[in-house]
Amino acid sequence: MVFGQVVIGPPGSGKTTYCNGMSQFLKLIGRKVAVINLDPANDALPYECAVNVEDLIKLSDVMMEHSLGPNGGLVYCMDYLEKNIDWLQSKLEPLLKDHYLLFDFPGQVELFFLHSNAKAVIMKLIKKLNLRLTAVHLVDAHLCSDPGKYVSALLLSLSTMLHLELPHVNVLSKIDLIENYGRLAFNLDFYTDVQDLSYLQHHLDQDPRSAKYRKLTKELCDVIEDYSLVNFTTLDIQDKESVGNLVKLIDKTNGYIFAGIEASAVEFSKIAVGPLDWDYYRVAAVQEKYMKDDENFDQND
């Protein structure tokens, strides 16, 4: 089994910075990491990518050749990638033996809650390569300072979760900068746990633009609460402890912490519902031993 993350989120939410910082942290704790850039518009990468979709197709070329804007061009690129999934599969196969995968996707949100191309790419890779992936959905923490934007972020997160149908972690990124946008109306726990959204209504009514859509906002909040799926964890990508806590959460969602562990279903359940207090250094060592045992078994066979 190969584990990894599908990194998504709106433009400016910090996806590329996240992939750079996350890859460095994972290497620090003993994992071999491969970053796969699937954003055909991302031509200034701060990290060394193992696979770059720009070797297959570039957004600038698509826009020029087909007279498309950036949004239409990205949809075309994802469709082209889906039709050439064998190219991506062949690039990934040499990495499957011992690498943890980070997929850096474009920031066009329509690709992940409306169009089917990006989802089709992910699902084909999961099926063909036996991947265990978690969607890491980044949302800029500054949206919490504006009730209307926060509700929009909740709707986007919910729509993306339902559309992708993957293990999913919603992240408030750049949490270290949140105070730069003014004092929050509520404690941070209110925004991460997505508590009673009716409390937001009073603050929305203070804005004449929002008050006009009071009934619509209430109905949208009711939809979010009825599903009761969305919550957030926080991230400061420059803080090792913050990144470490996120890694532990992701490793529980994609099953990384269970690989190489022989236990009963009851023991697995205890790990799954338990606190995030396991030692990722120890788990990395268990993973390495498990892979070596597999290699020895194959050689003896």
Side-chain angles (χ1 to χ4, degrees):
M1 291 182 290
V2 183
F3 299 90
Q5 304 174 27
V6 174
V7 183
I8 58 177
S13 58
K15 296 181 297 300
T16 299
T17 302
Y18 172 90
C19 288
N20 186 31
M22 179 59 71
S23 64
Q24 292 179 28
F25 181 86
L26 292 173
K27 290 174 183 176
L28 183 67
I29 63 174
R31 301 188 197 178
K32 295 184 69 174
V33 182
V35 185
I36 296 93
N37 175 46
L38 294 184
D39 184 355
N42 196 351
D43 54 2
L45 298 172
Y47 53 76
E48 181 180 351
C49 57
V51 182
N52 193 345
V53 73
E54 287 199 336
D55 294 337
L56 176 70
I57 189 169
K58 292 184 178 182
L59 177 62
S60 56
D61 295 341
V62 169
M63 292 171 62
M64 184 177 298
E65 182 176 347
H66 299 283
S67 301
L68 293 170
N71 290 342
L74 280 170
V75 173
Y76 182 97
C77 289
M78 281 296 110
D79 184 59
Y80 189 84
L81 179 60
E82 180 190 357
K83 288 179 169 58
N84 291 273
I85 195 68
D86 291 342
W87 174 86
L88 181 56
Q89 181 181 345
S90 66
K91 295 287 187 179
L92 292 175
E93 283 174 347
L95 306 172
L96 298 182
K97 187 175 182 180
D98 55 0
H99 281 77
Y100 185 97
L101 307 180
L102 294 175
F103 293 90
D104 187 2
F105 271 88
Q108 186 185 7
V109 296
E110 295 93 331
L111 294 173
F112 305 103
F113 76 86
L114 183 60
H115 298 291
S116 62
N117 298 342
K119 178 182 178 180
V121 168
I122 296 168
M123 292 304 170
K124 287 181 179 179
L125 291 178
I126 289 174
K127 184 176 180 180
K128 290 173 177 286
L129 303 178
N130 192 27
L131 305 184
R132 299 292 185 269
L133 302 178
T134 290
V136 180
H137 185 230
L138 302 180
V139 175
D140 196 321
H142 93 269
L143 297 180
C144 296
S145 62
D146 184 319
K149 292 179 180 178
Y150 175 67
V151 172
S152 298
L154 291 175
L155 281 173
L156 175 62
S157 300
L158 177 60
S159 301
T160 304
M161 293 174 76
L162 296 175
H163 183 71
L164 288 184
E165 299 179 305
L166 287 174
H168 201 99
V169 176
N170 293 304
V171 179
L172 290 176
S173 61
K174 308 178 188 177
I175 198 65
D176 52 312
L177 303 177
I178 193 169
E179 293 182 355
N180 294 351
Y181 299 93
R183 186 175 179 180
L184 297 179
F186 305 98
N187 292 334
L188 185 60
D189 289 348
F190 175 88
Y191 300 95
T192 56
D193 297 342
V194 191
Q195 299 171 5
D196 189 349
L197 297 179
S198 64
Y199 287 106
L200 284 177
Q201 197 67 56
H202 170 73
H203 293 274
L204 287 166
D205 289 345
Q206 304 305 308
D207 185 345
R209 296 169 300 178
S210 301
K212 182 179 179 180
Y213 303 104
R214 188 176 191 278
K215 186 176 180 180
L216 174 62
T217 302
K218 181 182 182 305
E219 296 297 328
L220 293 176
C221 289
D222 287 345
V223 170
I224 295 166
E225 291 184 327
D226 286 346
Y227 273 98
S228 192
L229 290 175
V230 183
N231 57 26
F232 293 96
T233 187
T234 59
L235 174 66
D236 174 2
I237 194 63
Q238 297 179 347
D239 181 6
K240 290 182 180 179
E241 183 178 356
S242 178
V243 179
N245 289 334
L246 179 58
V247 168
K248 293 175 184 181
L249 179 58
I250 293 170
D251 285 353
K252 286 183 72 171
T253 60
N254 63 19
Y256 183 91
I257 64 171
F258 303 111
I261 299 176
E262 296 182 4
S264 66
V266 173
E267 292 300 318
F268 279 130
S269 299
K270 289 180 180 178
I271 296 172
V273 301
L276 299 175
D277 60 355
W278 52 271
D279 183 351
Y280 37 65
Y281 292 97
R282 179 184 62 79
V283 173
V286 170
Q287 286 281 341
E288 184 178 359
K289 178 179 182 302
Y290 179 65
M291 287 188 290
K292 285 182 178 178
D293 288 345
D294 266 0
E295 290 176 5
N296 293 335
F297 178 80
D298 291 339
Q299 291 171 0
N300 293 334
D301 192 42

